């Protein structure tokens, strides 16, 4: 990134796209939307691909400006990396579950993925 603010925009965009597709699966998992196995699988694949992108946007100087990132991201980088790795692994499991076409498998994997997202938000994101 040429400027820290470009990195912030990049990571925010990656999280936004990932959240939109994750939410579509969540709507099906919570019976707020009709279940469609293909739609779930398509969205899970996007979530998995997007889950690998935002981390490059947490470089030096990206703790300033329009961001909800807490300082702990940089002061407790090992724990932040663990949270990121946990989320990436859990959405890979969600993608695998979605490929089965079985809603119960998807619901279970979605719940586990949501927990990893929440844990990182609680620890590393300002409200």
């Amino acid at each position: 990134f040429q400027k820290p603010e470009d990195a912030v925009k990049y990571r925010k965009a990656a999280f936004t796209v990932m959240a939109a597709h994750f939410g579509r699966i969540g709507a099906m998992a919570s019976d707020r939307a009709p279940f469609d196995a293909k739609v779930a699988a398509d969205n899970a694949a996007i979530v998995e691909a997007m889950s690998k992108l935002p981390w490059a946007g947490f470089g030096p100087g990206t703790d300033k400006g329009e961001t909800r990132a807490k300082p702990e991201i940089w002061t407790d980088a090992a724990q932040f990396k663990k949270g990121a790795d946990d989320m990436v692994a859990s959405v890979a499991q969600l993608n695998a579950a979605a490929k089965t076409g079985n809603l119960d498998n998807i619901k279970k994997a979605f719940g586990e993925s949501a927990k990893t997202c929440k844990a990182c938000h609680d620890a590393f994101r300002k409200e």
Side-chain angles (χ1 to χ4, degrees), residues 61-72:
T62 63
D63 57 336
K64 310 281 188 279
E66 290 187 37
T67 178
R68 292 192 288 172
K70 288 183 177 179
E72 289 84 349

Side-chain angles (χ1 to χ4, degrees), residues 8-75:
V8 173
K9 287 178 188 175
Y10 174 85
R11 74 180 185 226
K12 288 167 78 172
F15 281 129
T16 298
V17 171
M18 185 170 52
H21 292 277
F22 191 71
R24 292 173 186 160
I25 301 165
M28 287 184 265
S30 64
D31 300 321
R32 290 178 289 133
F35 177 64
D36 182 316
K38 181 179 179 347
V39 171
D42 290 349
N43 281 280
I46 293 167
V47 170
E48 182 178 12
M50 295 302 297
S51 73
K52 299 169 187 161
L53 299 181
W55 317 113
F58 286 96
T62 63
D63 57 336
K64 310 281 188 279
E66 290 187 37
T67 178
R68 292 192 288 172
K70 288 183 177 179
E72 289 84 349
I73 289 171
W74 293 272
T75 61

Side-chain angles (χ1 to χ4, degrees), residues 54-108:
W55 317 113
F58 286 96
T62 63
D63 57 336
K64 310 281 188 279
E66 290 187 37
T67 178
R68 292 192 288 172
K70 288 183 177 179
E72 289 84 349
I73 289 171
W74 293 272
T75 61
D76 193 359
Q79 192 62 30
F80 180 66
K81 181 172 180 353
K82 181 185 180 314
D85 291 346
D86 289 349
M87 187 274 290
V88 169
S90 73
V91 298
Q93 292 173 348
L94 174 60
N95 191 22
K99 288 177 182 177
T100 71
N102 180 293
L103 182 57
D104 290 333
N105 291 345
I106 294 168
K107 285 180 178 183
K108 182 178 181 207

